[in-house]
Amino acid sequence: MAPRSRIKKVTTLPINVVYSHLQQKNRVKIWLYEDTRMALEGQIIGFDEYMNMTLDNVVECDTKTGKRENIGRILLKGDAITLVQNARPEEPSR
């Protein structure tokens, strides 16, 4: 009988993902909790344990009309955030 292989579970904490975006200076897209029509794109320049974030070069994006408006530097409360993703995802290599 073949030996059973053990599956290793890896957990990535949300704060580590945010810190990775901060270190790599990625431009991120943030979906808002209360306003599903709007999303924010910007660069994370700081955050705390509550996931409050300071973002620079922020653009407010209307997901329905495609309208974009520059709003500069903001402080976004962590409880307003639904999702954080890379705004410019890498293309899969073929």
Side-chain angles (χ1 to χ4, degrees), residues 11-74:
T11 303
T12 303
L13 297 173
I15 199 131
N16 292 342
V17 174
V18 174
Y19 187 65
S20 171
H21 286 301
L22 173 70
Q23 283 184 314
Q24 296 173 15
K25 298 183 179 179
N26 290 337
R27 189 158 180 83
V28 294
K29 184 174 195 172
I30 299 175
W31 296 11
L32 302 176
Y33 181 72
E34 291 289 332
D35 190 358
T36 57
R37 184 178 177 140
M38 288 294 180
L40 300 173
E41 283 186 19
Q43 182 180 350
I44 300 171
I45 57 174
F47 68 96
D48 64 12
E49 67 270 18
Y50 304 107
M51 252 176 50
N52 298 323
M53 293 184 194
T54 306
L55 301 164
D56 201 14
N57 300 321
V58 178
V59 176
E60 188 178 58
C61 308
D62 187 321
T63 57
K64 303 291 186 213
T65 64
K67 181 182 173 195
R68 298 169 63 89
E69 182 179 345
N70 291 323
I71 55 176
R73 182 176 287 185
I74 65 167

